[in-house]
């Protein structure tokens, strides 16, 4: 389901995603219906965390997926930005040229926590616009591909 990301800086919690038992998160990506753009001042950006509880970061610590180092950065519309791909995090600036500046997710993912274990659980994603308001915003969806393991 689409979730609006307001231009005003602050946190937005995405509705919980059900992860079946005995699965790993193979892929996790964000897609937007319109371009999301940071304000263009050093220190602005968009962070994401992934947890097993609302607002948590048990799976991935806060990571700047749009890292505004003094110039506006955009997340392109209708183009998936993979946070986890093939059970691995991403290197810094992995989405260039579409999304040119981002912090690496590799060191932010907590080892072993892509795996649900023998019980189903919920995944909670939080999007934070940091420091100042966004220059442009829209609606986002989080897509997840699970792989069953025995």
């Amino acid at each position: 389901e689409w979730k609006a990301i307001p231009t005003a800086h602050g946190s937005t919690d995405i509705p919980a995603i059900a992860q079946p038992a005995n699965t790993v998160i193979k892929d996790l990506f964000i897609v937007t219906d319109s371009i999301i753009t940071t304000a263009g001042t050093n220190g602005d950006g968009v962070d994401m965390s992934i947890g097993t509880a609302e607002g948590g970061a048990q799976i991935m610590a806060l990571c700047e997926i749009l890292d505004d180092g003094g110039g506006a950065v955009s997340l392109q519309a209708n183009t998936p930005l993979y946070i986890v791909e093939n059970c691995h995090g991403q290197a810094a600036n992995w989405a260039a040229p579409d999304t040119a500046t981002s912090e690496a997710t590799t060191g932010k993912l907590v080892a072993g926590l892509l795996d649900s274990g023998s019980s189903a659980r919920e995944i909670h994603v939080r999007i934070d616009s940091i420091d100042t308001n966004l220059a442009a915003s829209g609606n986002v969806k989080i897509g997840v591909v699970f792989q069953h393991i025995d």
Side-chain angles (χ1 to χ4, degrees), residues 9-53:
H9 90 89
S11 298
T12 302
D13 290 312
I14 305 300
I17 300 163
Q19 181 176 3
N22 303 310
T23 62
V24 294
I25 299 170
K26 183 175 188 283
D27 300 314
L28 187 143
F29 59 89
I30 183 172
V31 66
T32 180
D33 65 353
S34 59
I35 295 173
I36 294 178
T37 304
T38 63
T41 304
N42 193 19
D44 294 340
V46 175
D47 285 349
M48 174 188 273
S49 61
I50 306 168
T52 56

Side-chain angles (χ1 to χ4, degrees), residues 74-124:
S74 295
L75 177 58
Q76 299 303 312
N78 304 310
T79 303
L81 179 65
Y82 281 82
I83 308 303
V84 176
E85 189 171 19
N86 291 320
C87 300
H88 297 284
Q90 304 285 8
N93 303 319
W94 74 89
D98 294 328
T99 302
T101 309
S102 55
E103 189 177 22
T105 63
T106 50
K108 302 288 182 166
L109 290 170
V110 178
L113 285 181
L114 294 178
D115 184 349
S116 67
S118 60
S119 300
R121 67 178 181 181
E122 288 186 337
I123 298 170
H124 297 267

